[in-house]
Amino acid sequence: MTARLADIAVQAGVSEATVSRVLNGKPGVSATTRQSVLAALDVLGYERPVRLRQRSAGLVGLITPELENPIFPAFAQVIGQALTRQGYTPVLATQTPGGSTEDELTEMLVDRGVAGIIFVSGLHADTTADMGRYEALRGQGVPFVLINGYSDKVQAPFISPDDGVAISLAVTHLAALGHERIGLALGPRRFVPVQRKIEGFLRAMREQLGMSEAAAGGLVQHSLYTLEGGQAAAGALLERGCTAVVCASDMMALGAIRAARQRGLEVPDDVSVVGYDDSPLIAFTDPPLTTIRQPVQAMGQAAVRALLEEVGGSLPEGPAETSRAPLRTEFVFHPELVVRGSTASARRPDPDGGGGIASVSGARKAVQDPTPE
């Protein structure tokens, strides 16, 4: 093996250590050097390791954490259609409880020679995860794009909605309706989108209601991105006197509505609820859900464009293009507030002292989504 490394190193004009890094898919090797080592393998008649063989020009992997949340099938559909229009075939790989992990799915796709991979809400969004897995993937010469989440430790294109602005839109809407105690229900704090949503919430509560960061922080409840998680989080926020709840997903918002009804409260008469995503069919819930529309169409198409640019850069035609540095850029997309039937004017104690509640501002604010559903 030593002689083989030496032969390859001489042919490529690099050190044996560099050859070893290339053959083992380690990061820290430039695209130019990697191509020189692979060319040396071919010239000397050595068979390339499976993971270093020519990428399949027709397959692109798409990894999602689940499919139960309708936002992920929505992303898969947009990305799949965009890839198909460009002549690629999407390969959907989904994690399941007790099933394959993101790393295992990535390895499976790499072994099948995909031209690139798009990760949706993957480990790149987890601030406690080891980002070395992505640099190792790049070291294997596989281009990739990351959706929903950002890390300055990873050289790749990132695609994100503006989570801070999204929550600010929801809080501003609810404050205009007279709500003064607005809760935020969202996932574990370690995720980048969660941290950004909290920042937007604290800022909006200060700007709209003059609430201190400490006071607003007491109205943040962490849970799981499920219906049950939303129900638990909203229940805790209702116990703290919240008259409105902003949820970090539409599934959580449906759980919040359930929590309100279990307490004998009506949505939106007693409690207003705002979701996040504008998932398919969410306009037809009871009541139709006011939500933040994540720009899935634009984000999915941008992810495909960014990936194909990376694919083109990783398969250079000449030496002038092999020095192109990997892109580390975050493309941020503006969300949209879609007002439907789950939000209404806040209520205040009955002035007659009867213990009832009366509308603060009378009729519901006449803001409706101009786009037909």
Side-chain angles (χ1 to χ4, degrees):
M1 184 65 180
T2 303
R4 178 179 176 180
L5 284 177
D7 292 343
I8 298 170
V10 170
Q11 180 66 36
V14 298
S15 68
E16 292 183 31
T18 298
V19 173
S20 178
R21 294 186 70 83
V22 172
L23 295 180
N24 289 289
K26 300 296 184 181
V29 181
S30 70
T32 303
T33 301
R34 183 182 298 108
Q35 291 297 327
S36 296
V37 172
L38 296 180
L41 284 173
D42 298 337
V43 169
L44 295 172
Y46 290 123
E47 184 178 355
R48 293 189 184 189
V50 173
R51 294 181 182 181
L52 298 180
R53 293 173 191 170
Q54 183 69 41
R55 301 279 113 206
S56 169
L59 301 179
V60 170
L62 171 61
I63 298 181
T64 65
E66 58 163 309
L67 290 178
E68 290 185 1
N69 188 327
I71 194 62
F72 295 123
F75 267 115
Q77 182 176 12
V78 170
I79 292 171
Q81 290 175 342
L83 286 169
T84 300
R85 285 195 294 268
Q86 296 297 324
Y88 289 84
T89 300
V91 180
L92 179 61
T94 303
Q95 301 175 59
T96 56
S100 299
T101 64
E102 178 181 311
D103 290 338
E104 291 168 341
L105 293 175
T106 300
E107 183 177 5
M108 178 270 291
L109 291 170
V110 171
D111 286 345
R112 282 158 178 75
V114 294
I117 301 176
I118 297 175
F119 295 86
V120 181
S121 300
L123 290 171
H124 62 280
D126 188 340
T127 58
T128 66
D130 180 9
M131 296 300 145
R133 55 175 42 90
Y134 298 109
E135 288 309 294
L137 180 60
R138 183 170 292 284
Q140 294 173 298
V142 182
F144 58 91
V145 173
L146 304 162
I147 298 178
N148 278 338
Y150 177 78
S151 173
D152 59 9
K153 300 176 182 178
V154 181
Q155 286 187 309
F158 291 86
I159 308 293
S160 305
D162 194 326
D163 290 297
V165 167
I167 300 304
S168 180
L169 288 172
V171 170
T172 300
H173 167 63
L174 293 169
L177 292 174
H179 294 276
E180 297 180 352
R181 289 190 65 79
I182 302 169
L184 177 63
L186 72 180
R189 186 182 293 273
R190 68 180 186 272
F191 293 107
V192 172
V194 169
Q195 295 172 2
R196 291 176 168 181
K197 287 180 174 70
I198 293 175
E199 291 172 0
F201 178 74
L202 298 179
R203 182 173 58 252
M205 292 292 278
R206 180 182 66 251
E207 294 174 351
Q208 298 297 323
L209 299 172
M211 187 174 291
S212 70
E213 182 172 318
L219 301 179
V220 175
Q221 184 65 41
H222 296 278
S223 187
L224 300 176
Y225 283 110
T226 62
L227 189 148
E228 293 77 13
Q231 181 178 348
L237 292 170
L238 292 174
E239 292 295 328
R240 297 173 203 166
C242 290
T243 62
V245 179
V246 180
C247 298
S249 77
D250 290 336
M251 294 294 288
M252 293 187 80
L254 295 181
I257 293 174
R258 177 191 285 182
R261 288 174 174 169
Q262 284 185 336
R263 288 163 173 74
L265 302 174
E266 293 295 326
V267 176
D269 294 340
D270 302 315
V271 179
S272 288
V273 175
V274 179
Y276 191 105
D277 286 335
D278 196 26
S279 309
L281 303 181
I282 209 67
F284 304 102
T285 58
D286 179 24
L289 187 65
T290 294
T291 188
I292 300 295
R293 176 176 292 161
Q294 189 171 176
V296 173
Q297 187 79 24
M299 290 172 62
Q301 292 175 350
V304 170
R305 287 195 300 269
L307 181 70
L308 296 187
E309 289 179 3
E310 291 285 290
V311 169
S314 68
L315 299 174
E317 299 253 339
E321 298 189 30
T322 60
S323 60
R324 188 178 73 90
L327 180 66
R328 183 197 282 116
T329 301
E330 183 176 22
F331 300 94
V332 180
F333 290 77
H334 202 285
E336 176 187 358
L337 174 68
V338 182
V339 180
R340 298 193 181 103
S342 65
T343 52
S345 299
R347 298 203 172 192
R348 57 178 172 78
D350 190 335
D352 295 332
I357 51 179
S359 172
V360 169
S361 55
R364 184 181 308 171
K365 185 182 179 184
V367 180
Q368 294 296 332
D369 179 24
T371 304
E373 297 294 339

